Amino acid sequence: MRSGDDPGGQQAPLTERGARTRERIVAAAREVFEERGFLETRVAHITRHAKVAYGSFYTYFPSKEAVFLEVADRLFEDMTDHDLVPVAGPSPAARVRRTNRAYYEAYRRNAKMMAIIEQVSTFNEEFQEMRRKHRAVSWGRSAKAIERWQNAGIVPSDIDPEMAARALTAMVDHSLYLWLVQGDDDSHTERLLDTLDALSVRALGLPT
């Protein structure tokens, strides 16, 4: 969801000043959510941090949930911008490794918010649905890459592209969640990433 959209269904701001104010509220909201968490955050905390009037918040967002949804949506756009395996470039195995590493970097940048989003997704159906849609974007792109490789005779034809993409995406995503959010030993990050790469490449039967 971009800056001109409004998750609450209200008309987007038409003036440059209004757009700047809205962006300031979104940026402040993310910082406050990261500091306080979703449940402890109040609209007053966001407006104070953004240095805008309390009533100004409701010009752009109908609720705390609405601005959280926008923050989360933008975060996932940042995450999925990096998970598309390029059509051109080095070998398929190298592309998988590059994609996994890019996703790790994106996850590391967004780890604090990812922790909060995963928590909110356990009790809010709207956020659950948003999380499912973004996951579908992620594995959907991988499934198309696997299909291309099958058509080129690189990946065995008896592998289900969709199920393989779902499984490998879940493996990488949950591993990084445990590593970056739950706080596993980050001194072995390279070992983890190398292992995720190797498992992904071998699962698809890609030549190394």
Side-chain angles (χ1 to χ4, degrees), residues 140-154:
R141 291 171 170 177
S142 295
K144 289 180 180 178
I146 294 171
E147 287 179 349
R148 290 196 300 270
W149 294 336
Q150 286 178 320
N151 292 333
I154 299 171

Side-chain angles (χ1 to χ4, degrees), residues 39-123:
L39 294 176
E40 297 301 319
T41 293
R42 302 289 180 268
V43 170
H45 297 144
I46 297 171
T47 56
R48 185 161 55 245
H49 194 68
K51 296 181 173 58
V52 300
Y54 185 83
S56 295
F57 177 92
Y58 293 101
T59 300
Y60 306 101
F61 298 99
S63 64
K64 176 184 77 171
E65 287 76 13
V67 71
F68 183 84
L69 185 63
E70 173 138 346
V71 169
D73 202 37
R74 292 186 184 194
L75 178 148
F76 283 123
E77 286 187 350
D78 176 42
M79 301 282 284
T80 55
D81 276 347
H82 299 275
D83 69 3
L84 175 58
V85 180
V87 175
S91 69
R95 294 176 209 168
V96 169
R97 295 186 189 101
R98 185 169 60 188
T99 298
N100 283 347
R101 299 309 174 100
Y103 189 68
Y104 164 76
E105 292 298 334
Y107 208 118
R108 187 167 61 88
R109 285 196 307 272
N110 294 297
K112 286 185 178 180
M113 274 303 300
M114 285 297 294
I116 299 167
I117 290 168
E118 294 293 354
Q119 179 190 40
V120 175
S121 295
T122 63
F123 60 80

